């Protein structure tokens, strides 16, 4: 596994392809994921987004997983894990755990004291929520019908 | 009072001046408020931000109040009230109420079913929270120490 924290031009397409492969995100969300990469390629750290990326050693230009995170504007030292995705073929091999650990370490170096991550309360996200709980995250809030009727937002948080 | 929902070039500076006058926001937040105006002037509705503005009839180019709101990405029909500000000299005259009413009406025309607004749990924001409660908003979530140690985030919501 090759890990990187700086972006290269091909990452907008690679992130979009990875996020699509997971089957968890809409077309609109794929665009957002790619836009955050493009914005950071353009504006660097000033964009407010940081990345941890796992390159696919067998397929140059493809990613096995990534996170996108950064300081939450108007907070003192709270960070948000905006995106985490692991290629379906690689799930269950510990890549998600390593991504979270590297992400939290980088955030702590940036003086983060709290990491938040939003997810859905839907059945489909039970493994996602179980993953965050294994990583030491706790439910900080639950907002009924936030994403859509019957689709709650669950906010997880972890003190770093 | 003159109400507008389309932006003009002078609004980035006018919004920044208004938001500063309230004394509730940091320099970083002033920049964000102005950036949302600039982005919407550049990209129009595609930016995802809508505005309601109250012009000062006595001072051309100045604002007595405004809201900035829009659909929350990845939700079906939830909207966020990103900003609401009323000039200190005009507070208590019903401008905030009219801003909220006009904002909710516009959001409903855009098929919104839920309006959310984040605020702080700090003492300074007691009048703000009382205002949202009078407008029919309920606490949907409270996240301890979100903004800073001792500074909770309180999420209000209202079904439209």
């Amino acid at each position: 596994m090759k890990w990187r924290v700086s972006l290269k031009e091909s990452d907008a397409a690679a992130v979009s392809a990875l996020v699509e492969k997971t089957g968890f995100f809409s077309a609109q969300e794929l665009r957002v994921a790619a836009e955050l990469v493009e914005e950071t390629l353009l504006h660097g750290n000033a964009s407010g987004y940081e990345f941890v990326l796992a390159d696919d050693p067998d397929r140059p230009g493809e990613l096995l997983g990534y996170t996108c995170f950064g300081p939450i504007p108007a907070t003192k030292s709270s960070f948000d894990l905006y995106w985490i995705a692991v290629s379906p073929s690689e799930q269950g091999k510990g890549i998600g755990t390593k991504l979270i650990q590297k992400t939290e370490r980088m955030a702590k170096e940036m003086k983060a004291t709290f990491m938040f991550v939003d997810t859905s309360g839907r059945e489909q996200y039970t493994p996602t929520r179980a993953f965050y709980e294994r990583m030491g995250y706790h439910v900080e809030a639950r907002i009924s019908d936030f994403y859509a009727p019957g689709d709650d937002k669950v906010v997880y948080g972890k003190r770093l």
Side-chain angles (χ1 to χ4, degrees), chain A residues 2-16 33-42 44 49-67:
Chain A
K2 269 175 57 198
W3 299 94
R4 268 188 298 133
V5 298
S6 41
L7 292 171
K8 51 186 187 185
E9 290 296 329
S10 59
D11 285 330
V15 157
S16 179
E35 275 168 20
L36 300 188
V37 173
E38 285 158 7
E39 216 177 298
T40 307
L41 282 165
L42 265 177
Y49 303 109
E50 303 287 335
F51 293 83
V52 176
L53 309 116
D55 283 314
D56 186 335
D58 300 325
R59 293 181 195 77
E62 292 190 29
L63 294 168
L64 297 183
Y66 94 112
T67 63

